[in-house]
Amino acid sequence: MENRNNITEFILLGLSQQKELEILCFLLFLFFYIAILAGNLLIIISITCSQLIVQPMYFFLRLLSLSDVCYTSTVTPKLLIDLLAEKKTISYNGCMTQLFSMHFFGGIEIFILAGMAYDRYVAICKPLHYTVIMSRRTCVVLTAASCFGGFLHSFGQFILAIFLPYCGPNKIDHYFCDIYPLLNLACIDTTMIGFLVLANSGLVGLVTFVVLFISYAVILYTVKSYSRENRLKALSTCSSHITVVILFFAPLLFVYFRPASPLPEDKVFALFYTIIAPMLNPLIYTLRNMEMKNAMKKLWFQIMGQRRNRLKDIPASHHRAC
């Protein structure tokens, strides 16, 4: 405990040491973060204010967008601040908080993607029992299980990190606090702890990805017997899910499903599951989804209609005041 307290703050080396490149990255990632907030909040509001909320697929899509906003917000604002700062530091408590919250929301996202795959499996492979199986109670239970699973995963990472002795150096070769870079700073042999991290993050990601892969393989096999129109509709929905899964899991597995040895490429791959995937998810789920497009149009017309009504009321109110 005494050794650990020798470190009160960590220095994040970030993405680059070149100031010109950092300014370019700041502008780029600021645009990405605004796009993440705007796109995912638009999905959340559109689903909440429409009849789509009663459908399990959109119930989970709203949760996915919410988890995307929370997940990227644990990393991106700090990254943007550090890109303009001379000294990129984070306190010990701030580092551990970031580690816990990032893995918590990341774990929730993993399990929500699994819940969405289960929803599509039931809808396509067991359509006659869909309304019975995917009831509101089932959706709530799957959501609670996702949050609980995310907490267990994150708590495991947090416990492994918080009891490590850090006695120097305090430079983290990353743009956020993560478990592998922290293992690199520990004053003890972390071989066994590295295997525990692999069992926690790596296996959770791999097992979930394999389950998702098998479920979509079964779905694709099932739709072979469908009519061409129904087959195209099912494939359109599943292709969006598969794209999101690949974007999120491929870089995640590269980073976590290997022995605890940080690589320079980790920072680049981490950008995909912390910033790129949350930014692209709204586009992927809306570009080929007519129901989402209609819900967004309805929301837009509703907002514009309310604005027109307010503008009409202004002269009338002014006239009455006179």
Side-chain angles (χ1 to χ4, degrees), residues 244-278:
V244 170
V245 166
I246 292 174
L247 274 174
F248 187 79
F249 278 92
L252 185 144
L253 290 176
F254 175 85
V255 172
Y256 293 108
F257 194 65
R258 67 165 200 266
S261 54
L263 299 175
E265 295 83 3
D266 286 354
K267 289 186 278 189
V268 177
F269 280 96
L271 288 173
F272 277 89
Y273 57 81
T274 57
I275 297 177
I276 306 299

Side-chain angles (χ1 to χ4, degrees), residues 13 18 47 73 95-96 128 139 164 182 192 196 236 244 278 292:
L13 297 183
Q18 300 178 15
I47 293 176
S73 294
C95 182
M96 295 303 153
L128 298 179
C139 294
L164 286 174
L182 287 173
M192 185 57 66
L196 292 175
S236 176
V244 170
M292 275 304 307

Side-chain angles (χ1 to χ4, degrees), residues 22 30 36 71 83 96 102 161 244:
E22 285 188 325
L30 177 62
I36 290 169
Y71 179 53
L83 285 170
M96 295 303 153
M102 194 202 76
V244 170

